[in-house]
Amino acid sequence: MELPVPGELVARFPPTRRYLIGVSGGRDSIALLHGLKERGYARLLVCHLDHQLRGRASQADARFVEQLARRLELDFVTEKTDVAALARRSKQSIETAGRNARYDFFARVARRRRCGTIFLGHHADDLVETFLLNLFRGAGATGLSAMRPVTTRPVSGVALTIVRPLLGMARGEIDSYVRKRGLKYRDDLSNDSAGPMRNRVRHRIIPYIEKQLGRKVSPALWRAAMIAGDEAEWADALVDSSATRARDLPVKKLREQPRALQRRTIQRWLQANGVADLDFDTIELVRGLIEPNAGRAKANLPRDRHARRRAGKLFLEEPHGIGGLA
């Protein structure tokens, strides 16, 4: 049994080149590592972040991954981050802080090693769980698709290309591959905890829905997520990229666009101007400024920034001064 890495990904990211690969030591990343090695990817740089959440077990994970990389004759790099402390400082959940810490780590390695592409072991069940989490948060098409086989994500000034070869493969198929290959991996017991929201979606919500409907729902949710992603990419192609890079946006031109395209243009514009932590409500507040009967000309943004409408333009106002129009 060979890990079914899609042929189009192999063609786009040929095995002869150098890539990063995120390896936690769990079965998914271990399966991906072995699968890529079997497909001839011999220049992988194995990246492991010690989250320092499980004491000696976390240290054992790092040693396990390092020893595996050595056996496979691959380069290895690791760092430690106190994710619990980071979560407290940033007032984020452990899961969110851990994810942000991992991507910051990947970006640092990418910059140092001049290698901007990383393989990650997300699979079909991860996509379904993320789809549901974002659906419950009220996300649009981009949020519902969440994970794509290939995406580029700006992280700490690095344009990180993220490749997910296993996104079409279910958890059970990965288990079968690992079992038939006799691969060793590290179990993270926190994955069975009912604390994190993702775990509750995995162990309680999806099984409950399937029990009530009397059928498996994951394949249908996976299809919905992939369709949402394809449609989001199509909508992104309609956005005027030169406009989103500008310091201001013309109100008249925005008003002529369909509402969905208005939102997407404003979102891309805000992101290009360094406005992070965007959600639907924030984007809609800014979009409301262009309505003909808008009773206000200012919308609050994260980190004490503001969007303003003046003289037929939308522009950003910084905390200690005004950007855009004077």
Side-chain angles (χ1 to χ4, degrees), residues 18-26 29-30 32-33 43-51 61-62 65-66 69 74-80 101-113 115-121 160:
R18 185 169 180 79
Y19 305 99
L20 311 180
I21 179 171
V23 181
S24 66
S29 61
I30 292 299
L32 177 61
L33 178 60
R43 301 181 64 198
L44 298 172
L45 173 56
V46 177
C47 305
H48 176 86
L49 182 66
D50 180 352
H51 294 66
D61 291 346
V65 176
E66 182 177 12
L74 298 173
D75 290 339
F76 173 77
V77 61
T78 185
E79 289 183 11
K80 294 181 180 180
R102 285 192 299 277
Y103 280 108
D104 286 340
F105 165 57
F106 296 151
R108 287 193 296 273
V109 177
R111 185 184 293 109
R112 289 198 303 263
R113 300 301 182 96
C115 178
T117 300
I118 184 166
F119 288 102
L120 297 179
L160 197 62

Side-chain angles (χ1 to χ4, degrees), residues 51-177:
H51 294 66
Q52 298 183 284
L53 290 172
R54 294 163 38 243
R56 292 181 178 179
S58 292
Q59 298 171 23
D61 291 346
R63 287 195 301 272
F64 171 80
V65 176
E66 182 177 12
Q67 291 166 3
L68 176 59
R70 189 178 299 121
R71 285 200 304 272
L72 295 176
E73 299 181 330
L74 298 173
D75 290 339
F76 173 77
V77 61
T78 185
E79 289 183 11
K80 294 181 180 180
T81 298
D82 189 340
V83 168
L86 179 63
R88 289 192 297 270
R89 288 196 306 270
S90 60
K91 298 181 180 179
Q92 298 174 322
S93 68
I94 291 289
E95 185 180 28
T96 299
R99 181 173 60 251
N100 291 339
R102 285 192 299 277
Y103 280 108
D104 286 340
F105 165 57
F106 296 151
R108 287 193 296 273
V109 177
R111 185 184 293 109
R112 289 198 303 263
R113 300 301 182 96
R114 298 182 180 181
C115 178
T117 300
I118 184 166
F119 288 102
L120 297 179
H122 297 122
H123 50 73
D125 294 77
D126 292 323
L127 176 59
V128 167
E129 292 157 11
T130 304
F131 175 88
L132 285 176
L133 285 168
N134 288 345
L135 177 66
F136 299 151
R137 293 180 183 127
T142 300
L144 291 178
S145 61
M147 297 177 182
R148 300 292 289 161
V150 181
T151 55
T152 299
R153 173 175 176 170
V155 184
S156 303
V158 175
L160 197 62
T161 298
I162 302 164
V163 186
R164 300 179 173 97
L166 306 185
L167 211 54
M169 194 172 182
R171 183 177 286 115
E173 295 175 288
I174 294 174
D175 289 344
S176 178
Y177 173 84

Side-chain angles (χ1 to χ4, degrees), residues 231-290:
E231 293 181 352
E233 288 180 1
W234 169 75
D236 270 338
L238 300 178
V239 174
D240 182 351
S241 58
S242 63
T244 61
R245 293 192 297 269
R247 289 176 60 84
D248 50 58
L249 289 176
V251 171
K252 182 176 183 298
K253 187 174 180 180
L254 271 177
R255 284 176 179 166
E256 294 171 351
Q257 296 177 351
R259 190 172 301 164
L261 193 55
Q262 291 174 0
R263 293 191 185 111
R264 193 167 291 271
T265 299
I266 289 170
Q267 178 187 20
R268 295 267 297 276
W269 175 66
L270 291 172
Q271 289 173 334
N273 282 278
V275 182
D277 305 319
L278 291 174
D279 56 19
F280 174 84
D281 291 337
T282 301
I283 295 168
E284 192 64 7
L285 277 174
V286 177
R287 196 196 66 80
L289 299 178
I290 72 171

Side-chain angles (χ1 to χ4, degrees), residues 209-227:
I209 293 173
E210 291 180 338
K211 182 178 180 181
Q212 296 302 311
L213 296 181
R215 61 182 176 86
K216 293 287 185 181
V217 298
S218 289
L221 294 173
W222 182 89
R223 285 196 301 273
M226 295 301 288
I227 290 169

Side-chain angles (χ1 to χ4, degrees), residues 31 55 80 122 177 185 189 281 295-296 306-307 314 324:
K80 294 181 180 180
H122 297 122
Y177 173 84
Y185 58 88
L189 297 180
D281 291 337
R296 56 189 176 80
H306 306 91
L314 284 183

